[in-house]
Amino acid sequence: MSALGALAVVLGGLTGCSAGDPRAGCRWMDDQSVDADADATVILVDGTASTRGGKSGAGDVDYGPLIGGLLAKDEKSGQVISIGTFGGPGGEIDWTVRRRSADWRRSNDNTANQENNRQDANKCLEDDIAAARRVVPAGKGTDVLAGLAAGAEMFDGVRGERRLLVLTDGLSTTGCANLTSARFGSRQDLKTIVSLCGAQGEFGELPDLKGVRVTFMGLGHSAGGQPSADSARRAWLGELWKDLCERAGADRGSCVVGKAPVDRTGKSGEHTEGALPDDPVVPFGERARTYHLPGAALFATESARLRDTIRPALVDIAVTARTTPSLERVEVHGYVDPRGTRANDRELSRARADAVADVLVEHGVPADRVKAYGEGVSRRCPDAAVEESGTREQRLQCARRVDVKIIGK
């Protein structure tokens, strides 16, 4: 059964499980043990600012109509359900439901009672998803890949089918898939992002999606008051996330982008934990593109010799640069973090910038348009989400980097 074939719930007009006690019909779910062979479904809800109406009063993205059938009549095995809200630079997840059994066939010996339990459970799971929609992320920024990585941890020990449903506009504003200055519609830029995210080896940001069926729903559909993607940009986003999903280990064909239309609720949601953290806006424009290359993926400690694993990503960046319309220049800025020897900071950062610049020139970027700079210690992380909400280690890794800026006329 496909991921969508296992989803039959429509989330509009949430009414709960019964008039008197909204969860009365679902107490068996709380009491029922988890079958070791059950299928597992993890639903991740994007709780970040671009999917919420916020202070503007404009409507939140309405994910309700996108969901079809969580507990279907033709389901052959029991399911274990987890529902969580993700956000922040580390993709932290606030779990509303954590590994809850939803095996309605095992819930009662009577066939009619089983069907009643199935219907009641669907309604209660509707409420659970609506509750997840009201959760406010603790940190600033959107990192969809980090959210996927955290969500995939719920599949540890699962012997049945693994399904991951991701309700998101797909607009990451931090991490290797940061889209705040992406050239939407550029296939080369798409390839470069995927290459960069997949080339970091042990320092990489890709989740482990081997054996997971992933469905993305809502890509490119943002809340009222946010820039809106047209159909071409939504198609580009769909290709990006399918490619990233497969690069993360999912089988070809197991990464699906839902095509259902997306509406807004008409009003901002009632957020239960306070104001939403700010998030950089993805403007969907053709702008100067900056790639922040993590130093740990580029070089060993105190070294300016490039790791072999990063070279394919640098080649893709070179192709992106030389195919940029009206290319004016490419700037390569090297930085080190504060832990090194201060006398060596600027020399090491310049050597690293030169090493990256040399690869770009080797692969077709005109040498007279490439300039390398050794900046020494980075004063701050350019990723606002990491700078304000990230851990100390995340800030240090951000400080130790090489920035490649591709600037058109």
Side-chain angles (χ1 to χ4, degrees), residues 15-329:
T15 59
C17 295
S18 72
D21 182 351
R23 304 201 67 85
C26 302
R27 287 174 183 159
W28 62 268
M29 297 177 70
D30 298 326
D31 298 335
Q32 188 177 74
S33 62
V34 173
D35 188 335
D37 295 322
D39 296 343
T41 298
V42 175
I43 302 174
L44 300 181
V45 181
D46 188 340
T48 54
S50 63
T51 67
R52 313 282 190 100
K55 296 179 181 178
S56 68
D60 290 4
V61 174
D62 184 7
Y63 290 129
L66 302 182
I67 309 297
L70 203 59
L71 302 178
K73 287 186 177 182
D74 59 352
E75 185 69 34
K76 300 304 181 185
S77 64
Q79 283 198 60
V80 178
I81 308 292
S82 300
I83 301 170
T85 309
F86 72 90
E92 296 87 353
I93 294 183
D94 191 316
W95 292 104
T96 301
V97 172
R98 197 186 282 264
R99 293 191 173 101
R100 175 185 291 159
S101 176
D103 191 345
W104 55 274
R105 291 184 183 275
R106 190 162 55 98
S107 67
N108 198 289
D109 293 334
N110 182 283
T111 303
N113 289 341
Q114 287 178 348
E115 175 58 19
N116 289 336
N117 283 351
R118 186 186 73 84
Q119 294 180 17
D120 285 344
N122 271 333
K123 294 176 183 177
C124 288
L125 290 169
E126 293 177 23
D127 289 342
D128 293 328
I129 296 175
R133 189 74 181 115
R134 294 192 295 270
V135 172
V136 174
K140 177 178 181 179
T142 307
D143 191 334
V144 178
L145 281 176
L148 293 179
E153 292 178 2
M154 276 291 178
F155 295 123
D156 290 349
V158 171
R159 299 207 294 252
E161 185 174 352
R162 307 174 186 186
R163 308 183 185 107
L164 180 60
L165 177 65
V166 191
L167 307 178
T168 179
D169 59 8
L171 302 180
S172 283
T173 61
T174 182
C176 63
N178 187 333
L179 300 178
T180 52
S181 59
R183 291 190 301 158
F184 282 76
S186 166
R187 293 198 59 81
Q188 181 56 49
D189 208 11
L190 184 156
K191 181 181 178 182
T192 301
I193 294 169
V194 174
S195 179
L196 178 60
C197 288
Q200 299 176 22
E202 63 182 295
F203 312 101
E205 300 174 39
L206 291 179
D208 180 6
L209 297 179
K210 185 177 181 179
V212 181
R213 298 185 63 84
V214 184
T215 301
F216 296 94
M217 305 197 79
L219 292 180
H221 294 275
S222 301
Q226 298 278 342
S228 181
D230 57 20
S231 59
R233 288 176 172 84
R234 287 196 294 271
W236 185 90
L237 270 172
E239 289 188 52
L240 173 67
W241 285 108
K242 282 196 293 185
D243 287 355
L244 284 169
C245 178
E246 291 182 0
R247 191 66 178 261
D251 295 334
R252 184 172 295 276
S254 293
C255 303
V256 178
V257 175
K259 302 297 185 182
V262 179
D263 295 321
R264 297 191 180 113
T265 60
K267 61 180 181 179
S268 296
E270 297 179 0
H271 310 137
T272 60
E273 299 179 9
L276 285 168
D278 291 333
D279 202 1
V281 172
V282 176
F284 301 109
E286 297 266 339
R287 303 172 56 191
R289 180 73 164 112
T290 300
Y291 297 96
H292 302 295
L293 310 179
L298 290 164
F299 309 100
T301 302
E302 298 295 325
S303 172
R305 181 176 179 178
L306 284 165
R307 299 183 189 271
D308 290 339
T309 53
I310 199 66
R311 286 183 177 272
L314 294 181
V315 173
D316 281 332
I317 292 176
V319 176
T320 298
R322 74 173 189 244
T323 58
T324 295
S326 303
L327 176 67
E328 180 177 308
R329 66 187 187 277

Side-chain angles (χ1 to χ4, degrees), residues 344-365:
N344 189 44
D345 285 344
R346 195 166 295 277
E347 180 181 343
L348 178 60
S349 64
R350 176 56 189 270
R352 289 176 168 178
D354 284 338
V356 171
D358 287 346
V359 174
L360 301 183
V361 172
E362 287 172 11
H363 291 276
V365 183

